[in-house]
Amino acid sequence: MNRSAIIGCAMVMLAAVLGTVARAETRPLTLGTSTQGGGFSLYGDELAAAINAVDPGLKVMSRPTRGTDENIPLLEQGELDMALVQGTVAYEALVGVGRPRADLRILTAMYASPGVFAVRGDVSARTLDDLKGQTVVFGTEGSGLVVLADYVLEGLGLDMRRDFDAVFVSAAAESPRKVIDGEAVALWGAGVGWPGFERVAGAPQGARFIGLDEAQREKVRARHGFLMPMQLPAGSYPGQDEAIDTVGSWNLVLIRSDLPETLAYRLMSAIDKAGPALTARLEQAGETTPANTAVAAPERRLLHPGVERYLVEIGLLE
């Protein structure tokens, strides 16, 4: 084969490779969220819109799912490109707790999830012990919030199915109505701006929030050190005048590890630039920052290389 033919073949191969990369970076990207009416669904829709506003070429499309429990296998099967995953489940998947390590990476931190109970305002319960034996809505079976509750209660020597009259729902939007209508006394949830808590606290009877006292927090963390001391800030919900201490974890947006580094870099850049507009639309999105992403990653190697490069370039990692 002469020199011209060799060069021609090389150019064809290069064009094919570049074309594949270009298609990977311009085709619509699917972002798995949760059932409609949940916090993840609201956040995911707003995140996709914010990314697209900053970088329309990325074409991020949010996709309703059954939530965290479904999002990880859909990512692993390549049916999603990115997905919202509750912090404790993300930790289990990324480091391999009770399962093989998932070949996934972190795109960005979402927001912290301090786990608390919202109790009907006309119910006398004021501590976690007061809720034992009572009807409590924990959410959709297998969801990240239920997994978080399992960890917290197990750390305290409790079991939600044994020590409470636990209620599970098929869709997140069903949960607050059960408390508002008096079918349950409390709802388990997490974070600022969570739709379920907004509805319960905004109902005529209002809500009282229950977290963990210092001894309870220490007991949980002695058994589950990856859960961090957290606080639900005062004023997060109507009638909540004091901060509530508890434990929780960082929710994460996970991304397939086989997506190009340039694509993950571009996504992280768009999320960073979209921060102010996203926060204006969704209060808890104020925590979706590069700085929190660097802090929330259990290990640096769990960041997608494109994200790691972006964090290095802006001085958050060395």
Side-chain angles (χ1 to χ4, degrees), residues 11-269:
M11 292 297 289
V12 169
M13 292 175 64
L14 178 60
V17 171
L18 292 176
T20 299
V21 173
R23 285 192 297 275
E25 294 193 9
T26 58
R27 68 173 175 78
L29 298 167
T30 54
L31 171 67
T33 59
S34 68
T35 58
Q36 294 298 312
F40 274 21
S41 175
L42 176 63
Y43 177 94
D45 290 346
E46 294 291 354
L47 179 65
I51 292 172
N52 292 335
V54 170
D55 188 345
L58 287 170
K59 302 176 185 175
V60 177
M61 300 172 58
S62 60
R63 171 181 161 181
T65 66
R66 291 197 301 273
T68 289
D69 197 43
E70 183 179 31
N71 285 345
I72 288 179
L74 287 177
L75 279 170
E76 292 180 303
Q77 294 159 18
E79 295 186 34
L80 295 174
D81 298 302
M82 305 170 283
L84 313 184
V85 181
Q86 193 275 335
T88 51
V89 181
Y91 175 84
E92 290 179 336
L94 292 172
V95 304
V97 176
R99 52 153 293 157
R101 287 188 177 187
D103 187 20
L104 304 172
R105 294 293 181 269
I106 296 169
L107 174 63
T108 184
M110 291 171 54
Y111 50 82
S113 281
V116 297
F117 293 91
V119 181
R120 274 181 59 111
D122 56 359
V123 172
S124 62
R126 294 183 179 275
T127 68
L128 179 55
D129 284 342
D130 293 336
L131 291 177
K132 288 193 290 187
Q134 301 290 322
T135 304
V136 176
V137 182
F138 284 97
T140 56
E141 192 86 64
S143 71
L145 281 175
V146 171
V147 174
L148 175 60
D150 263 328
Y151 272 112
V152 172
L153 295 175
E154 192 273 339
L156 294 171
L158 300 172
D159 183 290
M160 70 172 70
R161 296 160 182 82
R162 180 194 68 214
D163 296 301
F164 303 85
D165 179 11
V167 174
F168 302 96
V169 296
S170 58
E174 300 171 20
S175 296
R177 177 54 57 189
K178 292 186 178 297
V179 178
I180 294 168
D181 289 348
E183 296 177 43
V185 301
L187 170 64
W188 166 261
V192 176
W194 190 55
F197 284 169
E198 293 278 9
R199 289 180 60 192
V200 174
Q205 79 285 335
R208 180 185 310 110
F209 291 86
I210 294 177
L212 304 181
D213 61 32
E214 184 177 1
Q216 289 171 327
R217 296 194 301 274
E218 291 179 355
K219 187 173 181 179
V220 171
R221 296 197 70 244
R223 188 165 181 83
H224 304 301
F226 62 90
L227 293 177
M228 296 176 281
M230 289 186 176
Q231 196 174 73
L232 184 68
S236 296
Y237 297 98
Q240 183 220 336
D241 299 326
E242 298 181 355
I244 309 297
D245 291 312
T246 184
V247 297
S249 59
W250 279 97
N251 298 319
L252 301 170
V253 181
L254 298 186
I255 185 170
R256 287 169 35 208
S257 62
D258 62 343
L259 291 179
E261 178 180 332
T262 52
L263 177 57
Y265 179 95
R266 189 171 159 189
L267 283 164
M268 187 70 234
S269 175

Side-chain angles (χ1 to χ4, degrees), residues 1-10:
M1 184 179 291
N2 61 36
R3 179 183 176 87
S4 297
I6 293 173
I7 293 174
C9 288

